[in-house]
Amino acid sequence: MASAVTIPTISPQRAQAPFCGRSLKSRWLFPPENGDCEKLAYELQLPPAAARILYRRGFRDAASAEHFLNPSIADLHDPFRLRDMDRAVERIRQAITHRDQIEIHGDYDVDGVTSTVVLKKALELAGAESGWHIPHRLHDGYGMQPAAVDAAAARGVRLIISVDNGIRATAAIARANELGVDVIVTDHHLPESALPPALAVINPNREDCDYPNPNLCGAGVAFKLAHAILTGLGWPETKLNRILESFLKLVAIATVADIVPLTGENRVIVKHGLSGLRDPRNPGLRALLKAAGFADRAPDAGEVGFRIAPAINASGRMDSAGQAVRMFLTADPEEATDIARELFALNQDRQAAERAIVKEILDLCLATPVTDSDAALVLWGSGWHRGVVGIVASRVVERFHRPAIILGVENGVAQGSGRSIEAFHLLDALESMRELFTKFGGHSHAAGITLPESSLDAFRGRMKEWAGGRLTVEDMRPTVAVDAMVELKEIDDRLWCALDRIEPFGMGNRRPLFAVCGVDLAGPPQVWKEKHIRLAALQAGKTVVMRGWNLSDLATELRDVKRVDIAFEVERDWNGGWALTVRACRAAEAMAASG
């Protein structure tokens, strides 16, 4: 079916000021000089550039920095600090004693898949037999539905445990209560004003919960329940810690994929979990890593987000997430390998669908430019695959630097996802117009919605008005926030090793952005594969080659420029070494006018 897109209407007087992503001049922000960084570098025996990163992130003394650099399993919080954890564990123990049938209700993304697997494994270790259910994204929609509860009760299920969903499943849980089925909710999404009528609701974002880490992902909450269950088995501490560390491999992948802050307890989870990916024993995880090209080394957080998580997600986006669950649960290496290959094939299909929608949106936004008056974008089209609209929303936010909601329309129903920028709380916006939606939920910067096609124009108008009253032009202007000024001679293996200790990088601990200023270009930038760029920077006799993804437009902008400022990241290359990735580049004389 040919797709049809609807884009915001732009008034003629505004149309002459198009905003097509990078064409809007970025603000470059530089850190202040601070002599204490040199002392920190000396005390930690780190390169000065690494010490500057730590100092900028709030670690002003060697003790706090050392604790950050070396997170311990002992830093994990007591799971019983989560409200209702004791009630949940007691009901699960009763179910094990009475051999009640337990069913785990998960979700179709990475977080929901890994949550399901972790909790099922923990229940097995505790002596319980449990089934699992993952809704189909296109056929069933998001979250626990009354129909799924009816089906579970018909199978004889006496206890349902939700993972990565359930906090807004009031109707489904009320139906479970009618049928005599107990429900334990484990979730991390923001609750409504009233909690669902479940036996136990484990969610660090409950207003009456004082758990120290409100930023757990769904798998993190499921892991806490697993920890609490296994604590009561009387195992030696060494055995318990070994099992918990084995779970952290999957929980780390989910924590990275769900884009929650990688600080505090989440840093412990990801640091130790990714380390465990060097030698996974789970056949499914081993097959997945091999298919992604990590047979000989562990991926870092960026590689998990870019190469591992999309393959798991592809199962739920393009087909059924049950395949990914089965991959992690099977003991058969051949079956695991077959499923892993299938997931990567589905991911290729997902990428093609995503590219087609993004191209259509960008083509139309070039014809009808997005301007400063469009503080939020609501775009929809018939024939758009609802399994990829969330990723498309992320691409649109990257390009236009403002909240974006992308929806696929089918049979009079619009369903899709939204993503936001740091300055805009997306879920608060949706709460202000909740009467428009059939369903909605999510976080401050990501959400899912369903609404009638007839309400789309009203929704777009309300979103534009809400965002316009809260976002300034500066909020919608890309910022190049430099973490540390360096010289090219500082970029070496010693800095790479120090950055490896500061990892994992992600939300709350983003990959450091370095800047070299006033360096010479050792020749014109070279376009690579029609959309990427390579450039060679020269300073004090040292030449460094850098790459820039999707920055081919710089070849034209820098054609007659000899001296530049470059903002770049130090990243892992395909072969496991390090490479320099350009994030922004400008003529050096612009530095005097920087913000």
Side-chain angles (χ1 to χ4, degrees):
M1 178 188 301
S3 61
V5 64
T6 302
I7 61 176
T9 301
I10 309 299
S11 60
Q13 64 269 27
R14 300 290 298 175
Q16 72 273 12
F19 173 47
C20 298
R22 298 183 188 87
S23 61
L24 181 66
K25 193 172 182 63
S26 299
R27 290 183 299 149
W28 286 53
L29 304 177
F30 294 91
E33 295 285 338
N34 196 297
D36 291 341
C37 295
E38 301 301 321
K39 178 184 176 184
L40 192 62
Y42 174 78
E43 291 176 341
L44 294 171
Q45 292 298 292
L46 289 175
R52 282 176 233 144
I53 298 299
L54 291 170
Y55 193 91
R56 283 272 290 165
R57 298 192 178 179
F59 303 102
R60 305 297 168 84
D61 60 81
S64 64
E66 198 66 58
H67 187 262
F68 172 79
L69 293 172
N70 299 291
S72 167
I73 288 291
D75 295 331
L76 293 175
H77 303 307
D78 180 354
F80 286 97
R81 295 185 66 176
L82 281 159
R83 194 159 184 101
D84 279 3
M85 182 64 80
D86 51 349
R87 299 181 65 186
V89 171
E90 178 58 30
R91 178 63 183 92
I92 290 168
R93 287 174 180 162
Q94 290 176 11
I96 294 170
T97 299
H98 300 299
R99 305 199 67 78
D100 289 342
Q101 288 192 46
I102 303 173
E103 188 164 274
I104 302 165
H105 281 225
D107 189 23
Y108 38 65
D109 65 359
V110 174
D111 203 10
V113 165
T114 53
S115 299
T116 301
V117 174
V118 166
L119 186 56
K120 179 166 176 56
K121 293 280 190 181
L123 289 172
E124 288 176 358
L125 289 168
E129 294 184 5
S130 62
W132 53 272
H133 169 76
I134 302 283
H136 192 286
R137 181 188 292 264
L138 302 184
H139 301 157
D140 303 320
Y142 170 77
M144 190 189 306
Q145 301 295 328
V149 171
D150 286 337
R155 289 190 292 270
V157 171
R158 307 302 300 162
L159 173 62
I160 291 175
I161 308 175
S162 76
V163 290
D164 191 37
N165 75 98
I167 197 64
R168 294 183 176 229
T170 299
I173 295 171
R175 178 58 178 159
N177 292 338
E178 292 174 1
L179 297 171
V181 178
D182 289 331
V183 178
I184 295 170
V185 170
T186 76
D187 202 352
H188 69 122
H189 295 95
L190 298 178
E192 297 184 289
S193 55
L195 296 176
L199 173 73
V201 178
I202 303 172
N203 187 327
N205 285 296
R206 285 181 58 164
E207 287 188 1
D208 57 353
C209 180
D210 61 358
Y211 188 75
N213 177 20
N215 296 314
L216 287 168
C217 69
V221 181
F223 169 75
K224 288 295 167 181
L225 177 56
H227 186 179
I229 294 168
L230 299 179
T231 296
L233 298 183
W235 289 350
E237 186 175 356
T238 53
K239 179 179 179 179
L240 176 61
N241 286 342
R242 187 174 71 252
I243 296 299
L244 293 178
E245 290 210 44
S246 72
F247 288 158
L248 288 183
K249 299 168 190 174
L250 287 179
V251 181
I253 292 173
T255 302
V256 170
D258 224 50
I259 318 179
V260 294
L262 301 188
T263 56
E265 186 177 42
N266 286 350
R267 176 174 171 81
V268 178
I269 290 170
V270 177
K271 189 84 170 179
H272 285 265
L274 295 188
S275 176
L277 294 181
R278 292 190 182 96
D279 185 29
R281 296 187 178 183
N282 180 282
L285 187 52
R286 184 182 291 273
L288 181 70
L289 291 171
K290 184 176 181 180
F294 297 106
D296 301 320
R297 67 175 178 89
D300 63 21
E303 291 167 326
V304 165
F306 187 67
R307 293 163 67 181
I308 303 295
I312 302 173
N313 263 334
S315 175
R317 292 187 186 281
M318 308 304 291
D319 191 11
S320 167
Q323 278 294 78
V325 174
R326 281 185 279 274
M327 179 183 68
F328 289 125
L329 292 179
T330 184
D332 182 351
E334 290 188 10
E335 181 185 11
T337 297
D338 289 343
I339 296 176
R341 288 172 178 164
E342 179 183 333
L343 296 187
F344 276 89
L346 287 171
N347 193 45
Q348 290 182 332
D349 294 341
R350 187 272 305 171
Q351 290 171 329
E354 173 198 335
R355 284 193 298 268
I357 298 173
V358 169
K359 183 180 185 304
E360 189 169 355
I361 288 173
L362 293 180
D363 286 347
L364 286 161
C365 286
L366 286 171
T368 309
V370 177
T371 70
D372 292 341
S373 65
D374 301 293
L377 301 178
V378 178
L379 310 172
W380 64 86
S382 62
W384 287 3
H385 197 298
R386 288 177 289 161
V388 304
V389 290
I391 303 174
V392 172
S394 296
R395 300 289 180 263
V396 173
V397 171
E398 290 169 7
R399 184 78 179 187
F400 296 104
H401 204 71
R402 63 202 64 206
I405 296 93
I406 309 297
L407 305 115
V409 180
E410 187 174 339
N411 299 324
V413 176
Q415 184 176 338
S417 298
R419 299 292 184 268
S420 192
I421 58 175
E422 185 175 351
F424 189 78
H425 196 296
L426 185 57
L427 191 59
D428 281 353
L430 299 180
E431 289 279 8
S432 75
M433 55 194 86
R434 60 185 305 136
E435 72 279 2
L436 296 176
F437 309 122
T438 308
K439 291 185 295 184
F440 76 100
H443 314 287
S444 57
H445 294 97
I449 60 172
T450 302
L451 72 164
E453 182 179 8
S454 58
S455 298
L456 283 171
D457 286 324
F459 174 42
R460 185 177 61 199
R462 294 274 292 275
M463 273 297 298
K464 183 175 177 178
E465 180 182 4
W466 179 274
R470 287 157 180 81
L471 292 176
T472 66
V473 172
E474 288 298 294
D475 291 330
M476 296 182 284
R477 183 181 172 193
T479 299
V480 180
V482 175
D483 290 289
M485 300 279 289
V486 295
E487 296 181 5
L488 290 182
K489 65 183 180 181
E490 297 182 73
I491 311 301
D492 55 18
D493 288 343
R494 187 163 174 254
L495 177 60
W496 171 243
C497 291
L499 293 177
D500 190 53
R501 296 183 64 193
I502 300 174
E503 286 192 358
F505 297 128
M507 180 180 282
N509 185 41
R510 68 181 177 89
R511 186 175 294 278
L513 187 65
F514 297 98
V516 289
C517 292
V519 298
D520 294 324
L521 286 178
Q526 301 297 311
V527 175
W528 169 42
K529 292 188 177 179
E530 298 183 354
K531 58 183 178 178
H532 311 308
I533 197 171
R534 284 195 183 100
L535 58 82
L538 171 65
Q539 184 184 54
K542 180 173 182 176
T543 302
V544 173
V545 177
M546 303 184 182
R547 63 192 184 184
W549 306 121
N550 299 305
L551 290 175
S552 59
D553 52 338
L554 281 177
T556 301
E557 293 180 22
L558 301 177
R559 182 171 50 202
D560 300 318
V561 175
K562 301 300 183 184
R563 181 161 290 188
V564 295
D565 305 328
I566 307 173
F568 65 94
E569 295 173 350
V570 183
E571 294 185 305
R572 196 180 300 276
D573 205 347
W574 294 108
N575 60 11
W578 55 270
L580 306 183
T581 302
V582 178
R583 295 303 178 199
C585 186
R586 64 180 186 179
E589 57 266 26
M591 184 174 179
S594 63

